[in-house]
Amino acid sequence: MLNLFRVLSKLPLRWLHALGSLAGWLTYWGSPTYRRRFQANVQIAGLPWSTAKGAIAHAGRMILETPWLWMRPPGQALGPVLTWDGAELIDAALQQGRGLVLLTPHLGCFEICAQAFADRYSGQLVAGEEAVNPITVLFRPARQPWLREVVDASRERPGLFTAPANLAGVRQMLRALRRGQTIGLLPDQVPPQGLGVWAPFFGQPAYTMTMAGKLLQQTGAAALLIWGDRLPQGRGFVVHVRPAPQIAADSAPESAAAIINKAMEEMIRLAPAQYLWGYHRYKQPRGLDIGTAPAPASADAAAATDPAGKA
């Protein structure tokens, strides 16, 4: 598999996206469980099937572009493959020198966001002084040893550090913010070790991480929304940056999680064809005494009617 990763990393991005589109549809039709979950999540969100079905191909593109992203030579600039929309918001936040939290859902090429930040901002001015401004991103270590080796060697690059999704990683990100640095989170990821609360996501109770809200409350850091728009025909990516909602210092974890989930919903509605609808967002974490979701709607019931038949 490692050799396959190396081969794929050498292919042009347009080829990878073309192959990924095929892989996405093959996975969709080859896995009934994945297909039902995908359809159910779209219905829960109340979106027309026609606006979301493009995400089937985009899920495959996400997988096939990963070797290209992870195995880029360290220090190699992204160059013309990347453009920015709203970078001035990051510029202003960094000048404040109080730390910055970048929040993105599983939308588009979320992997490109951290690399783009490191490419643009590592070594830039922070609070008027020349300083390296790295970004630290939260990730779950891969279970497969060969993939763990690839991730460890490729995700960390100049200006980009990683923190494991556990208490040690939380402490690492807290230290980064207190040093005035930047961190990146995917708050629509089901939290590990029960570090979450039930909060609505597209009107459905979803177990949601409390980390984002707590880090903002404890550090007073700035927050922005960010996502990587995957352009057609492998032409590259546009990283969009938007203001994030404010989290009051005295907000309860449930309130903070609901506010962040709402912001994620609004971002997803901008490009539903690039959201990872097959992600098991509404699952109940195993082995955790967190109680059941309050009156959840049945995902299986939502998927009972195949929306593909209405396309």
Side-chain angles (χ1 to χ4, degrees):
M1 288 298 293
L2 184 55
N3 288 333
L4 177 60
F5 246 62
R6 292 193 177 104
V7 170
L8 290 173
S9 71
K10 304 297 184 183
L11 295 180
L13 190 59
R14 65 181 182 277
W15 291 15
L16 294 171
H17 281 178
L19 291 171
S21 297
L22 176 60
W25 278 101
L26 289 174
T27 301
Y28 178 81
W29 288 116
S31 172
T33 299
Y34 173 75
R35 187 166 64 250
R36 285 195 298 269
R37 183 185 303 140
F38 190 108
Q39 296 170 2
N41 287 344
V42 172
Q43 288 198 336
I44 288 170
L47 295 172
W49 178 248
S50 59
T51 67
K53 67 179 181 180
I56 296 169
H58 274 284
R61 291 171 192 149
M62 179 197 70
I63 298 299
L64 268 293
E65 75 195 4
T66 299
W68 185 88
L69 286 164
W70 285 3
M71 304 194 81
R72 278 193 316 113
Q76 182 186 78
L78 288 163
V81 77
L82 175 74
T83 55
W84 284 85
D85 168 37
E88 67 276 3
L89 296 174
I90 297 181
D91 298 339
L94 294 180
Q95 288 297 324
Q96 298 176 27
R98 57 190 178 98
L100 173 61
V101 179
L102 297 177
L103 302 171
T104 181
H106 288 81
L107 179 66
C109 183
F110 43 90
E111 286 279 354
I112 199 73
C113 296
Q115 290 196 20
F117 182 94
D119 189 43
R120 181 183 178 100
Y121 291 102
S122 182
Q124 297 297 313
L125 288 175
V126 179
E129 298 182 1
E130 185 70 24
V132 173
N133 185 43
I135 181 171
T136 302
V137 295
L138 194 72
F139 80 106
R140 287 186 178 179
R143 294 180 181 179
Q144 300 88 346
W146 70 269
L147 185 56
R148 192 180 308 123
E149 179 183 351
V150 172
V151 172
D152 292 345
S154 59
R155 266 189 166 170
E156 289 205 3
R157 53 183 61 240
L160 172 58
F161 304 114
T162 57
N166 53 34
L167 290 176
V170 174
R171 289 192 290 267
Q172 181 180 341
M173 303 192 93
L174 184 60
R175 289 193 297 268
L177 287 176
R178 287 176 172 166
R179 289 195 292 264
Q181 296 175 357
T182 302
I183 68 168
L185 292 172
L186 279 76
D188 64 335
Q189 187 170 21
V190 178
Q193 301 181 14
L195 301 178
V197 293
W198 292 108
F201 186 66
F202 287 112
Q204 175 89 347
Y207 200 63
T208 303
M209 69 164 62
T210 57
M211 183 190 310
K214 287 181 178 179
L215 288 174
L216 289 169
Q217 291 172 322
Q218 292 177 21
T219 65
L224 292 170
L225 308 177
I226 185 171
W227 72 279
D229 185 2
R230 187 180 295 109
L231 297 178
Q233 300 177 352
R235 296 203 305 267
F237 309 92
V238 179
V239 174
H240 300 277
V241 186
R242 295 292 183 268
Q246 297 296 311
I247 305 295
D250 58 351
S251 290
E254 292 80 4
S255 297
I259 291 170
I260 292 174
N261 276 357
K262 184 65 175 177
M264 297 299 102
E265 291 176 25
E266 292 173 358
M267 294 179 71
I268 293 164
R269 291 184 188 278
L270 294 175
Q274 294 200 32
Y275 185 60
L276 203 63
W277 293 107
Y279 180 60
H280 201 355
R281 181 64 186 92
Y282 299 101
K283 69 180 178 182
Q284 169 115 7
R286 296 179 180 177
L288 298 173
D289 186 16
I290 57 175
T292 57
S298 171
D300 290 337
T305 301
D306 185 353
K310 303 177 182 179

